[in-house]
Amino acid sequence: MVVANQKGGVGKTTTTVNLAASLALHGARVLVIDLDPQGNASTALGIDHHAEVPSIYDVLVESAPLSDVVQPVPDVEGLFCAPATIDLAGAEIELVSLVARESRLQRAIQAYEQPLDYVLIDCPPSLGLLTVNAMVAGAEVLIPIQCEYYALEGLGQLLRNVDLVRGHLNPDLHVSTILLTMYDGRTRLASQVADEVRNHFGDEVLRTSIPRSVRISEAPSYGQTVLTYDPGSSGALSYLEAAREMALRGVGVRYDAQQAHARTQNGQQNMAEGIQ
Ligand code: ADP
Ligand code: MG
């Protein structure tokens, strides 16, 4: 599941780590792939990501096996993280000249042999090659939308990129899930944005929305998700409920790497011009 929105600060990372922890607490085996050079997801999961740590950069650029960089998340059984270090900031440019530059993450996931129920990929706030790698590797896209003015601006571009990747490299890719984040029920603006998003996307929007919560924003500074930091808080309960809703909808179908790989063999060539 690709967690994407090229806008920064909309709750991508928060959603990735808290949904992942919720799914793991429900008993699933979950891998979080941190694809943002800032490494916020790694921090929030309590995973060391200083410059020397083997990271997703090594996987994408140096072709290291994913298993060399995956670390278990402390405190949450069944939850794992492939961290990002600052090296990843250069990857966007370094990838340009590499073979199969759009499908390097997909290949790495395909070669990963540990059993997993979900892979959540936390994207950077851009639509460059890192996000394209995520979309080629993924089965579906989750878009967090912050309930603020301008929330829908730029979404068209994101949806066009999903279409482009689907057209060339990953025919099954689709936006399966929209999650409303930082929802403040007391403001008219929040409910107006929520209505607009629900009118536009319909069933893809999870019924559960994530409230604005201080506990959610505090948790990362303790290297924790809100699920372990304050399990009874409204933020923790809303992410648990969102995860349950996703699981019950059958979202997050088991990733069939072999099949995905076979599908992308053809699209590889046409892709470059489209995305550039
Ligand atoms: P992105 O990854 O899209 O840039 P983040 O997940 O990092 O966004 O969230 C941006 C900021 O908003 C962070 O400081 C985060 O702690 C805060 N935040 C995210 N979700 C909530 C929420 N539901 N309530 C309060 N603060 C939140
Ligand atoms: Mg982020």
Side-chain angles (χ1 to χ4, degrees):
M1 179 167 283
V2 182
V3 182
N5 188 333
Q6 78 273 30
K7 240 186 242 266
V10 299
K12 288 182 291 297
T13 300
T14 306
T15 293
T16 303
V17 299
N18 289 304
L19 274 184
S22 300
L23 290 164
L25 290 171
H26 279 304
R29 285 176 62 88
V30 186
L31 172 63
V32 169
I33 296 181
D34 189 349
L35 218 53
D36 186 343
Q38 297 191 41
N40 295 152
S42 312
T43 304
L45 293 173
I47 301 289
D48 201 8
H49 61 105
H50 61 80
E52 280 77 44
V53 172
S55 72
I56 200 69
Y57 171 87
D58 302 294
V59 173
L60 290 173
V61 177
E62 312 287 355
S63 303
L66 192 52
S67 54
D68 282 6
V69 313
V70 168
Q71 298 186 42
V73 171
D75 305 334
V76 185
E77 208 186 313
L79 183 56
F80 302 86
C81 175
T85 61
I86 194 64
D87 289 343
L88 196 59
E92 200 86 65
I93 290 165
E94 289 174 66
L95 279 170
V96 171
S97 58
L98 297 181
V99 194
R101 59 189 179 182
E102 296 96 358
S103 52
R104 297 178 76 86
L105 183 61
Q106 182 207 40
R107 288 174 182 203
I109 295 174
Q110 176 198 337
Y112 188 71
E113 285 178 342
Q114 301 300 316
L116 289 171
D117 297 302
Y118 294 88
V119 179
L120 276 74
I121 307 174
D122 185 27
C123 290
S126 70
L127 294 172
L129 269 173
L130 288 172
T131 298
V132 169
N133 262 272
M135 287 184 181
V136 171
E140 50 195 87
V141 180
L142 184 161
I143 307 178
I145 296 183
Q146 187 183 1
C147 295
E148 293 290 350
Y149 197 58
Y150 295 136
L152 300 178
E153 204 170 73
L155 269 186
Q157 205 186 346
L158 174 59
L159 298 177
R160 275 193 296 282
N161 272 43
V162 173
D163 286 345
L164 210 45
V165 173
R166 179 175 45 236
H168 292 295
L169 285 173
N170 189 359
D172 289 340
L173 186 73
H174 61 290
V175 176
S176 65
T177 312
I178 310 279
L179 179 62
L180 297 166
T181 63
M182 297 180 237
Y183 184 79
D184 183 348
R186 295 166 304 180
T187 70
R188 187 129 51 104
L189 177 61
S191 59
Q192 278 171 354
V193 172
D195 286 348
E196 200 175 331
V197 171
R198 287 186 196 284
N199 284 337
H200 191 273
F201 288 99
D203 287 345
E204 276 118 52
V205 188
L206 292 183
R207 269 180 290 118
T208 312
S209 47
I210 307 301
R212 198 171 267 291
S213 139
V214 175
R215 308 306 265 169
I216 288 179
S217 58
E218 283 173 351
S221 55
Y222 298 89
Q224 288 189 46
T225 69
V226 73
L227 282 306
T228 50
Y229 176 61
D230 190 350
S233 64
S234 63
L237 295 176
S238 65
Y239 271 115
L240 272 175
E241 184 57 29
R244 209 175 71 96
E245 210 184 311
M246 265 172 46
L248 290 176
R249 290 184 349 168
V251 172
V253 178
R254 234 168 240 274
Y255 181 80
D256 188 337
Q258 290 300 332
Q259 220 181 46
H261 182 58
R263 275 194 247 106
T264 56
Q265 290 303 294
N266 303 328
Q268 209 83 51
Q269 225 59 46
N270 318 333
M271 183 69 192
E273 302 93 61
I275 293 293
Q276 286 299 297

